[in-house]
Structures are given as structure tokens and as C-alpha cells.
Amino acid sequence: MRLSRIQLRILLPAVLLLTVSLLLVFSALKEYQIAEQYLTSKELEQARQSLGFLKQEIEYHASQPEPIRNAQRLLMSNGFGKGIETLVLVNSSGQVLASRFSDNDIETKVLLSHTTRAFEGQGSISPTDNGQSIQAYIPLKLNSLVSKQLQGEQVFLYASYDLIASKAALWQKIRSDFQYIWLVILIIVIAIAYLLERLVTRPLAKLVDFSQQLSHDYSGLQHPGNYLGEIATLSKTLNTMSSKIARAVGDLNSQQENLEVTLHSIGDAVIATDGTGLVTRMNPVAEQLTGWYAYEARGLPLKTIFPIINASTREAIPNPVDKVLSTGETVYLSNHTTLIAKDGSEYQIADSAAPIRNGDNNIEGMVLVFNDVTEQYRLRQAARNIQLQIQGLFDDMQTMAGILEIDGTVIFMNNTPMKIRGIELNDIIGKKLWECPWFDYETAAQDSIHADCLKAAQGEQILRDTHISTSQGELMWIQFSIHPVFDPQGQIIQLLAEGHDISARKRAEEELSASLQHIKLYREQTPLAAIEWNMGFQIEGWNDAASKLFGYTRDEVIGRHASLIVPESAAS
């Protein structure tokens, strides 16, 4: 069965009735469980009270003549309720001394004998495992005379209460109550089904017929029905939609009339094709650039009226129509595209081709938009030639020279640092300076260069020594500088980064430092006292031998006058 054939007026009440029925069954079972526990507790309490009283009576009359007969009379009394099933006086060997049932009941005696052995010396009142009855087993305290008559055996009071009848009556009452509730709910559900039929299902059927009429009638047809709530809102919405469709159809007709006017007003050249790549429309700008009139080009393949070649190689470029119609992707031509017009004229163009899709997202054609960029292309080529000249001047210099955007993006770099690192210009153009391979040896170096670029962008000039990595994985010392470049108005337009190889200077500094370390080590290890002071006779050097000779430690003499250790006779 299809889902569309299921009637709402039947489905909703049926689901509601089934849900309520399940809830009622669950509630009835839960209430019966609670009531059953209460009934069992109540019966247990009544059994404790009645059997406790009976125990006291039997123990009291045990001291009188004929205690067994008195016990039999007490057992036959009517104070134990309707549920009493068994009530006997039995000794520890299972012998029935007094009972509410016949002494010839052998099966009961055997049960009592087994029970007395199981509970000997103990007493209990509790429900059975199946919960259908209550069993009580109470030991009695008799005086010595009666105990002697019974040869010292323990006497017990055994009773059982049947709960089956009480529980059956309880379940019958609960079931009767819930059946009455279910009948009331059934009547309510039937009433709901009727209301659904009158207020929902029937109006919806009418609105469905009306909506089907709207699929082929665009005149603004209106539905006259009066409904309630959401159905009324739906009816109003369909009427509004019908009016909007009528207006939309009118607008589409107007737009179709204005399409040609709009197409002719676009400043760029526009050519449209069908799904097979045949020309359907083109505007005057496209006619001017291609040399074809629209009436001449209509129905011709786009390749015929739009031949394009590479401006540098003069080789033919694949026409974008095939790729757009086959893949559905937007295609952009390269910056070196030349259009050859019908009369042989050539134009540098920039264009894009995109698919035309219908409402089902299927490709129905393609639109090509292009414009004449011949002048811009000429200017770009001139700028490129100037850049190549600058590149030639800077290349093979012994220093690193780079031009950056204000945000640190590399736009030019001479070949000296690229040879050192073994990279090409394309590897760094468009990257931030600190992200280039020269500084990838540690994060701290990248962060430092980044900070230098930020300071230079604020107008500061940076000059410091740092490392760059080489193609051999080694680190080279350079003197790095970066400073801003200003335009005539004093605005920062670019950053200039420079670097000079200072490896030789650094090696000389390291050698000098090593020599000084050797001299210092020799001074410390010589057995002779070695003392150094400056031109102002302030002590600057003091070795261990001097400490032994003069008795002063290094900390005590550093910075003090030399007269501290020179005798007065020598000073005079």
C-alpha cells in the first residue's frame, strides 16, 4: 500500500487509540502490582495480630485441664478471617495435636512434619515464593507440666492463608475500572475521527483538487471555501500563491520581452549557446569583436565565430564550450588569449564561460562573457619588461635584495639568496618572507622575521645579524636589514629587505673569542700571580695564584685601587 492512500482520519485515531490502550494496560498492571503489594502487607499484618492473640490464648489455657481440647476449641473460633486455609497445633515430630481440618489428612501431616524439621526452633510469618498464600510458623511457650506430657517436644502453631481469591477479586475490580475508562476513550477517539473527517480530511481533499487546477491555470484562480485553523491558512496560502503565479507569469512575459534589450545594454560581449554548442544569442559588443552579426552567427557552432589562440605561441586554444557543456564547470581563459575576428583583426580578451541550467539543474546551454583587454595587455607586457630589467640588474649581486608588500608578502627577490637555498622564484613569490625556506630551521627565527616586518610596516628600520639556512642544511650568518619605502605623499607602499653575507666576520669574531679564552685559561692556570689593572689603576684581573700570594679573594679586589697590594715603599 502506498503512503498516499492512507487516510489521515483513520490513521490518527487508530494510532491514538492504540497508544492510549497500551498506556491503560501498562497503568492497570502497575496499579495491580501496587495494590497486590498492599493486599499482601495488609494480610500479613492481620495474620500477625490474630495469630499473636491465638498464641497468647493457647499459652494461657495450657495450664488448665485438657489443654489440647482447649487449643482445639480456640483453633475452631471465627476470628481468623475468610482467607484462613490451614490452622494446626503440631509438635516438633510432625504430630498434629489440634487442627481446623480432619486428622485423617495424611498429606497435610507429611507437609507439617517436613515444615517442622525445616523451621525447628524458629518462628516466621511470610508469603510463599509464588505469592499465592501466607504461611505462619510460631513456636509456643508451654508450662513444664504440659511439656512433660508431650515428652519435652516443642509445640508449634502452623497456619496458612489463601491469597488467590483476594487477588483475583482485586484484579477483577481493577480490570473493570480500566475497561470503563477505555470505553470512554474509545467514544472520544470516534468523535475525534469524525471531526478530522469534517474539519481536516474533506477540506484537504478539496484543496488538493484546487492545487491541481493551479498547475495548468495561471489566471489567478481563487478557492472560495471557508475553513478553520491551519486549513484556512493553507487555503489562504494557495489563493495567495495563485495570485503570485499569475503575476509571475506576467512578469516572465515582460522579462522575456526585455531580455533582448538588457542583453544589448551590457558593456561586455555576451554569446549564448544551446546544449549542443550552437549560437542562440549575441549582443552588439560581441558582434563588434567577432565581426559576425547575430543573425549570421545564430545556429553556427561557437568555434566558428569565436576562434582563439595563445598570444605568445600563436597556437590554437581549445574552445571552452566543450568543457563547460561536458563538465558543467565555469571555465576561465588565460591572460594570453587572442581572439581572431572574422576580418582577421586580433583582440586580447579576458573571458569566462559558465553553464546555463534549468530548474532541474540540467545543462541547457552556455553563456560566454568576454571583453577587449588589448590595452591592458600591452600595459602588462610593458610592466613585465620593466620587471625583467630590474631583475637583471639585481641578479648576481653579492647581497640579498627583496621587495615586499606591507604585509610581508614577497613580490620580488634577486637570485643570490635563491642560489644559496637552491630554490626558484616561484617557490617564494606570494609567500610571507618569514614563511620562505631561508628561515624554516626554527620557529623562533620565523617569529623574529615576522616581528621585524611588522615594525618596518610601522616605519621603523631594522638592522641585525641573523642566520639563514642553505641548500646543504647549514646555517649562514647574514646582516639582515629591512626598511619601509615611501611614496611622494609619505605613505608606506612597500618594504625593502636586504642581506649581506657576514660569515667571514663571524668566523673572525669566533677566533678572537677563542684566543681570549685561551689567554684567560693560561692566566688562571699559571703558578705565578697574574694581576691586571686599567689606566686608572683599578684591578680588573686576579688569578688564584694572586689570591694565595696576597690573601685576597677575587671578589674582594676586583674594582679596587692597586695600592691595596703595592707596598708603601714601592708606591713612594
Side-chain angles (χ1 to χ4, degrees):
M1 180 184 295
R2 294 189 306 173
L3 293 178
S4 60
R5 300 186 61 183
I6 299 177
Q7 297 187 12
L8 188 64
R9 63 187 177 89
I10 297 176
L11 178 61
L12 288 181
V15 172
L16 178 62
L17 182 61
L18 178 61
T19 303
V20 172
S21 300
L22 292 176
L23 290 175
L24 286 176
V25 170
F26 176 77
S27 300
L29 293 175
K30 188 67 177 179
E31 183 171 344
Y32 174 73
Q33 183 181 12
I34 296 173
E36 182 184 32
Q37 294 176 354
Y38 175 75
L39 175 64
T40 303
S41 301
K42 182 179 178 182
E43 292 292 338
L44 281 172
E45 184 61 27
Q46 291 179 353
R48 288 190 181 94
Q49 293 179 359
S50 59
L51 293 178
F53 178 75
L54 178 61
K55 174 178 179 294
Q56 293 177 1
E57 289 293 322
I58 292 176
E59 291 176 347
Y60 174 75
H61 289 87
S63 60
Q64 300 178 0
E66 300 181 349
I68 301 303
R69 180 174 294 180
N70 289 333
Q72 180 68 37
R73 177 177 56 79
L74 293 172
L75 293 181
M76 298 302 293
S77 63
N78 294 324
F80 305 103
K82 296 184 294 182
I84 188 70
E85 183 180 35
T86 304
L87 184 61
V88 298
L89 196 67
V90 61
N91 60 14
S92 57
S93 61
Q95 180 183 1
V96 177
L97 304 178
S99 173
R100 287 178 71 98
F101 53 84
S102 174
D103 290 341
N104 295 326
D105 193 343
I106 304 301
E107 182 179 352
T108 302
K109 290 182 180 181
V110 173
L111 173 63
L112 291 173
S113 175
H114 174 74
T115 304
T116 54
R117 287 195 298 272
F119 293 93
E120 185 172 359
Q122 301 179 7
S124 67
I125 302 177
S126 61
T128 58
D129 293 339
N130 59 12
Q132 300 299 321
S133 63
I134 295 176
Q135 289 187 351
Y137 196 70
I138 303 173
L140 302 178
K141 297 180 181 179
L142 304 178
N143 58 33
S144 59
L145 179 62
V146 177
S147 299
K148 186 175 180 181
Q149 294 176 357
L150 297 176
Q151 298 179 353
E153 290 188 352
Q154 177 69 53
V155 178
F156 299 90
L157 180 63
Y158 174 78
S160 67
Y161 291 81
D162 183 19
L163 299 179
I164 296 177
S166 300
K167 290 186 177 182
L170 176 64
W171 172 247
Q172 185 64 28
K173 181 179 181 305
I174 292 176
R175 186 178 65 179
S176 176
D177 293 342
F178 277 88
Q179 285 176 345
Y180 173 76
I181 296 173
W182 187 84
L183 289 176
V184 173
I185 293 176
L186 178 62
I187 295 173
I188 295 174
V189 170
I190 293 175
I192 292 174
Y194 175 76
L195 291 176
L196 284 174
E197 163 67 18
R198 299 290 298 178
L199 301 178
V200 178
T201 307
R202 188 176 300 176
L204 282 177
K206 293 180 179 179
L207 292 177
V208 168
D209 294 337
F210 175 65
S211 64
Q212 291 175 349
Q213 294 179 22
L214 295 181
S215 63
H216 52 77
D217 189 341
Y218 307 130
S219 62
L221 187 66
Q222 300 292 297
H223 186 68
N226 295 319
Y227 306 111
L228 298 176
E230 289 81 358
I231 305 299
T233 303
L234 179 58
S235 176
K236 182 178 179 181
T237 302
L238 288 175
N239 288 333
T240 302
M241 183 179 67
S242 177
S243 300
K244 289 183 177 180
I245 289 175
R247 289 194 299 270
V249 170
D251 293 341
L252 284 175
N253 292 331
S254 298
Q255 291 174 5
Q256 184 68 24
E257 295 174 359
N258 295 330
L259 179 59
E260 292 296 332
V261 176
T262 303
L263 186 63
H264 282 64
S265 302
I266 296 176
D268 292 336
V270 180
I271 300 176
T273 73
D274 59 16
T276 61
L278 302 180
V279 176
T280 58
R281 286 189 178 93
M282 59 190 301
N283 67 350
V285 180
E287 291 178 338
Q288 178 183 354
L289 293 180
T290 61
W292 292 80
Y293 290 107
Y295 71 89
E296 294 177 320
R298 188 174 294 112
L300 295 178
L302 180 64
K303 302 175 183 178
T304 302
I305 69 167
F306 190 73
I308 50 179
I309 62 173
N310 185 286
S312 301
T313 64
R314 307 296 294 177
E315 294 181 357
I317 297 176
N319 204 283
V321 63
D322 296 328
K323 184 174 182 180
V324 171
L325 294 179
S326 61
T327 65
E329 299 177 353
T330 300
V331 176
Y332 300 91
L333 295 183
S334 67
N335 294 329
H336 302 285
T337 302
T338 299
L339 169 65
I340 301 177
K342 184 179 180 181
D343 60 1
S345 302
E346 295 186 1
Y347 300 94
Q348 300 298 324
I349 62 170
D351 77 338
S352 64
I356 300 174
R357 299 180 183 272
N358 59 17
D360 297 327
N361 204 34
N362 295 322
I363 298 176
E364 289 190 339
M366 182 204 73
V367 59
L368 177 68
V369 181
F370 59 98
N371 54 23
D372 182 10
V373 294
T374 304
E375 183 63 21
Q376 295 91 318
Y377 181 80
R378 185 185 64 78
L379 294 176
R380 284 200 304 269
Q381 284 297 109
R384 176 61 179 167
N385 292 335
I386 293 174
Q387 183 179 358
L388 291 176
Q389 292 176 4
I390 296 174
Q391 184 80 37
L393 291 174
F394 279 93
D395 279 348
D396 297 324
M397 292 177 60
Q398 297 303 311
T399 61
M400 164 186 174
I403 301 175
L404 318 176
E405 297 285 3
I406 297 178
D407 62 355
T409 302
V410 178
I411 59 176
F412 171 80
M413 186 69 65
N414 68 336
N415 65 357
T416 300
M418 291 187 290
K419 289 180 178 179
I420 294 174
R421 191 60 178 85
I423 57 178
E424 299 292 335
L425 185 62
N426 292 333
D427 297 330
I428 59 172
I429 290 296
K431 288 186 177 181
K432 308 298 183 185
L433 179 61
W434 54 89
E435 296 175 352
C436 293
W438 299 295
F439 309 103
D440 61 1
Y441 56 91
E442 64 178 10
T443 304
Q446 295 176 330
D447 294 341
S448 179
I449 298 299
H450 187 190
D452 292 341
C453 291
L454 292 177
K455 293 178 181 178
Q458 298 297 323
E460 295 186 32
Q461 294 190 9
I462 307 299
L463 178 63
R464 64 184 182 86
D465 296 345
T466 187
H467 281 111
I468 61 171
S469 61
T470 66
S471 58
Q472 290 79 27
E474 300 175 350
L475 295 181
M476 173 189 291
W477 277 105
I478 65 167
Q479 185 181 61
F480 176 75
S481 66
I482 181 170
H483 61 270
V485 179
F486 298 90
D487 63 8
Q489 289 74 35
Q491 300 295 321
I492 299 176
I493 57 173
Q494 291 176 333
L495 304 178
L496 180 61
E498 298 180 71
H500 303 273
D501 183 7
I502 57 171
S503 301
R505 192 191 77 188
K506 286 294 183 179
R507 286 194 297 270
E509 291 176 354
E510 291 174 357
E511 292 174 358
L512 177 60
S513 177
S515 299
L516 293 176
Q517 290 292 332
H518 288 139
I519 293 173
K520 183 177 179 181
L521 181 63
Y522 172 76
R523 183 189 63 192
E524 293 297 333
Q525 294 180 351
T526 181
L528 302 177
I531 304 170
E532 299 176 15
W533 56 69
N534 58 23
M535 298 299 295
F537 294 98
Q538 288 182 329
I539 298 176
E540 293 182 346
W542 187 273
N543 66 353
D544 293 339
S547 296
K548 293 179 181 180
L549 179 62
F550 295 101
Y552 295 104
T553 64
R554 176 182 175 86
D555 294 337
E556 291 176 338
V557 299
I558 293 298
R560 299 183 64 177
H561 197 272
S563 59
L564 177 68
I565 60 172
V566 177
E568 294 182 0
S569 59
S572 60

